[in-house]
Amino acid sequence: QVQLVESGGGLVQAGDSLRLSCAVSGRTFSNYAMGWFRQAPGKEREFVVAISRTGGGTIYADSVKGRFTISRDSAKNTVYLQMDSLKPEDTAVYYCAAKFLVSSIRPDDYGAWGQGTQVTVSS
């Protein structure tokens, strides 16, 4: 079973940057596409970005395109989310998720989830 542990959330001001990390254990990291999702209070969980098993393919939500960057480090079994030019509307709990083989933008396609990390952006 895949285990995911996120870290790196916090309280920042609009325009600041944060980098989230997601450490993966329990299965072969290279077999899994990875995604980041977020959920704001009173809203459904939404797709943010996904990266393929090799790291060669990425998909970004329009709302974060050009500001967020996903990457993965196979030596550390870790996926990162670099978030720049943060906006108050980025405030949410951010979740890392793993999907066997092929990436997806649908939360229901992901079989393993981390516990989430809070990101709060003040105006």
Side-chain angles (χ1 to χ4, degrees):
Q1 188 170 354
V2 180
Q3 287 96 39
L4 310 175
V5 178
E6 301 103 331
S7 61
L11 171 63
V12 297
Q13 292 187 331
D16 285 350
S17 297
L18 272 178
R19 189 176 80 157
L20 306 183
S21 299
C22 174
V24 181
S25 62
R27 287 289 187 268
T28 303
F29 183 56
S30 61
N31 285 343
Y32 290 84
M34 302 298 298
W36 287 96
F37 295 79
R38 66 187 181 186
Q39 189 167 18
K43 295 187 177 181
E44 292 188 354
R45 191 167 298 189
E46 68 170 350
F47 170 77
V48 176
V49 60
I51 188 167
S52 66
R53 293 183 297 128
T54 64
T58 56
I59 311 169
Y60 288 88
D62 287 344
S63 59
V64 305
K65 203 171 293 184
R67 299 188 298 121
F68 290 12
T69 305
I70 190 171
S71 61
R72 61 190 295 160
D73 184 337
S74 59
K76 297 182 178 179
N77 285 5
T78 300
V79 62
Y80 302 99
L81 181 62
Q82 177 67 40
M83 305 186 294
D84 299 320
S85 303
L86 282 161
K87 303 175 181 179
E89 51 263 45
D90 294 319
T91 295
V93 177
Y94 282 71
Y95 296 91
C96 174
K99 181 185 180 297
F100 189 62
L101 295 182
V102 181
S103 55
S104 170
I105 67 171
R106 290 161 29 101
D108 289 347
D109 288 342
Y110 287 77
W113 292 82
Q115 81 287 354
T117 185
Q118 177 71 46
V119 172
T120 303
V121 184
S122 64
S123 58

